[in-house]
Amino acid sequence: MLLAPCIEWQFTEHANLADRVRAAAAAGYRAAEFHLWRDKDLPGIAAALAETGVGLTGVCVDPRRSIVDPAERAELVAAVRETIAATAPLGKPPLIVASGFKVDGMSEADHFANAVAALKEAAALAEAAGVTLLLEPLNTRLFAAMYLVSTRLGLDLVEAVGSPNLRLLYDVWHSACMGEDMAEVLAGRIHLVAHVQVADMDDRHEPGTGTLDWGRIMQTLTDLGYTGGIGLEYFPTLPMDQSLQLTRATLAV
């Protein structure tokens, strides 16, 4: 499986993301990912990607806007459109979408319907541009009022939208925070998952420093038929060479 360090949080001995791309390449990685883009030197990152051959496995739609609040829908669609255009020189990476917070007084049915409507508009833009959107469930530990904190609900939304350009980002750490059994929540639906991110419990550090059973996790992904990338979205506790060495050994990839 292709491993992609999160250069937002890793290789921080380098001040800018372009040099972090180069550092990831020097460490033997063919992919990387980061979060928001508006505060980044995109031409510099594009040059580093071209120089090294590194590809991006994820960039966040920026600014983040709600998929469930109709008052923010136009801003969400605009953010998707602008992010597609801005990241095209980076190789048209997958674009990560979070849900936004619940709307007070709104029913669950209306939350779901609004999310589907917003995501259909966003997915139409992605289809036209040849870009994949990744819908990411988060967790209530960090975001108490977040709407999408369930893998099953995220998969339900992807199915309801029905676009080949909208898929789920399954984050092992967020899912573990919610007490989910990944084999149960992903059973029969792994084809809707286009990316996986990893970090260990409890404190979101590198795999091998916490309590998760990574042998079981990786075997489950294999048994389900997952063949996509693995985003290393964690806060390192060790120097990066040691952190990545531990991660590779723990994930056995």
Side-chain angles (χ1 to χ4, degrees), residues 29 71 79 145 155 181 198 213 234:
Y29 291 85
L155 291 166
D181 183 311
V198 298
D213 183 346
Y234 65 76

Side-chain angles (χ1 to χ4, degrees), residues 16 23 41 44 50 54 73 83 104 132 146 204 211 236:
N16 62 72
D41 173 17
V54 168
R73 187 174 303 166
T83 300
D104 289 342
T132 298
M146 187 65 59
R204 209 174 190 180
T211 59

Side-chain angles (χ1 to χ4, degrees), residues 111-189:
H111 273 91
F112 189 88
N114 286 330
V116 170
L119 289 169
K120 281 187 174 181
E121 288 192 47
L125 295 175
E127 289 175 20
V131 169
T132 298
L133 298 180
L134 298 174
L135 180 63
E136 182 178 17
L138 302 180
N139 72 77
T140 55
R141 171 176 162 180
L142 288 183
F143 310 100
M146 187 65 59
Y147 169 63
L148 184 55
V149 293
S150 159
T151 298
R152 284 194 177 93
L153 178 57
L155 291 166
D156 289 346
L157 287 168
V158 171
E159 286 186 332
V161 172
S163 168
N165 292 69
L166 177 68
R167 288 294 180 260
L168 193 85
L169 190 168
Y170 178 75
D171 186 301
V172 172
W173 184 77
H174 287 307
S175 182
C177 286
M178 296 305 295
E180 295 180 339
D181 183 311
M182 66 178 295
E184 291 181 3
V185 297
L186 297 177
R189 304 172 94 182

Side-chain angles (χ1 to χ4, degrees), residues 31-81:
E33 55 192 48
F34 63 92
H35 298 156
L36 301 176
W37 58 268
R38 290 182 187 268
D39 61 342
K40 306 299 193 306
D41 173 17
L42 296 190
I45 294 170
L49 294 172
E51 172 189 323
T52 61
V54 168
L56 294 177
T57 53
V59 177
C60 293
V61 169
D62 185 4
R64 294 185 175 104
R65 290 294 182 265
S66 174
I67 66 173
V68 293
D69 187 346
E72 293 191 20
R73 187 174 303 166
E75 294 179 1
L76 168 72
V77 173
V80 171
R81 181 183 294 108

